[in-house]
Amino acid sequence: MAVKDPTLDSKIVNAATEEFLECGFQGASLRRIAKRADLSTGALYTRYKSKDDLFCSIIKDLLSEVSREFEPMRQEYMEAQKDNNLDTILEAIRQEEKIYQQILLNYYDQCILFFCRSDGSSVQKQLEQFMTYKAQETVAYLQTISKKEINVDAVEILLFQQFYCYRSLLEKKLSKKEITSCLKIVEAFHEAGWKELFRQLME
């Protein structure tokens, strides 16, 4: 079996990233990716079985990082739940937002692919599943601390809007400095909304 050339794989990934960023998953062409990488389409297929396989390989580090950070975030909320204190819960929200912001900046191109260029790919389904799971987990968490009935639809809409906010920022192709500046305003807005929601549920 021939040993894969990591340098060649790097050329393919760089070429594919450019193609997917410009054209999105659906509009991207393996033929053009191969041409960008100065390869034959056949050589591309020896390393990636499909366009979807190639797309997934590009964002795997991003998904691994989200997965790695997910459990610590969960622990923050569990500790806040024990205290049943609004300030502790808001601090957990702030910590989660900081983590998301750091991931957004560290994996900028991959985040654009994930949030804005994945339509038609298996990654789109992963994004939808993640958002649905996050909404369900948030509702379940609120139910453990709330003294009132929770409007599940409203909470899901609020959470989805928060994700679409990230998508909107990435679509604008802002610099990392501009994204950081925007997120400070957006997160302050979200925090005020979550604070009021938690206050109503806990009083």
Side-chain angles (χ1 to χ4, degrees):
M1 181 182 293
V3 177
K4 282 189 176 182
D5 180 355
T7 304
L8 193 56
D9 284 328
S10 179
K11 283 178 63 178
I12 294 171
V13 167
N14 290 339
T17 299
E18 291 175 1
E19 176 77 7
F20 286 130
L21 285 172
E22 289 177 17
C23 306
F25 175 80
Q26 291 177 316
S29 160
L30 287 178
R31 180 182 55 78
R32 288 197 302 267
I33 291 171
K35 186 176 180 180
R36 285 176 187 260
D38 197 24
L39 293 170
S40 68
T41 307
L44 196 61
Y45 274 113
T46 63
R47 287 163 170 77
Y48 303 96
K49 60 185 180 182
S50 66
K51 185 167 70 168
D52 191 74
D53 184 39
L54 178 53
F55 190 84
C56 290
S57 73
I58 294 174
I59 65 166
K60 66 180 181 180
D61 289 343
L62 166 64
L63 298 181
S64 295
E65 182 66 9
V66 171
S67 179
R68 188 181 71 82
E69 292 286 2
F70 190 74
E71 189 56 34
M73 283 191 281
R74 212 157 170 255
Q75 289 301 320
E76 287 276 348
Y77 282 108
M78 292 304 102
E79 291 300 318
Q81 180 184 339
K82 292 176 185 177
D83 291 345
N84 201 32
N85 179 279
L86 180 57
D87 289 334
T88 308
I89 294 171
L90 290 175
E91 181 57 31
I93 291 174
R94 292 186 200 105
Q95 290 303 316
E96 182 177 16
E97 287 176 340
K98 285 179 183 177
I99 289 172
Y100 282 136
Q101 178 176 326
Q102 202 58 50
I103 290 174
L104 204 68
L105 297 177
N106 290 344
Y107 296 88
Y108 183 71
D109 284 346
Q110 293 94 323
C111 283
I112 293 176
L113 294 177
F114 185 59
F115 283 103
C116 312
R117 303 288 186 268
S118 62
D119 288 358
S121 71
S122 62
V123 172
Q124 180 188 13
K125 295 178 182 177
Q126 292 181 56
L127 174 58
E128 292 169 354
Q129 288 169 354
F130 177 75
M131 291 172 62
T132 299
Y133 175 76
K134 186 63 179 173
Q136 291 172 344
E137 189 173 66
T138 301
V139 169
Y141 181 80
L142 290 173
Q143 288 171 335
T144 66
I145 63 172
S146 177
K147 298 178 181 178
K148 299 178 179 179
E149 185 176 351
I150 296 169
N151 188 321
V152 175
D153 291 330
V155 172
E156 288 181 348
I157 289 170
L158 287 172
L159 199 67
F160 289 162
Q161 285 301 316
Q162 203 161 349
F163 279 106
Y164 284 124
C165 167
Y166 294 137
R167 178 170 184 160
S168 297
L169 284 174
L170 292 165
E171 285 282 16
K172 287 181 177 293
K173 298 180 181 179
L174 303 176
S175 68
K176 293 181 179 181
K177 184 177 180 180
E178 290 170 328
I179 282 181
T180 301
S181 177
C182 279
L183 280 175
K184 285 183 180 179
I185 298 171
V186 171
E187 287 170 358
F189 182 83
H190 285 153
E191 182 178 324
W194 285 115
K195 183 176 182 178
E196 176 60 21
L197 175 63
F198 278 109
R199 186 191 66 75
Q200 291 180 17
L201 292 175
M202 296 173 69
E203 68 180 7

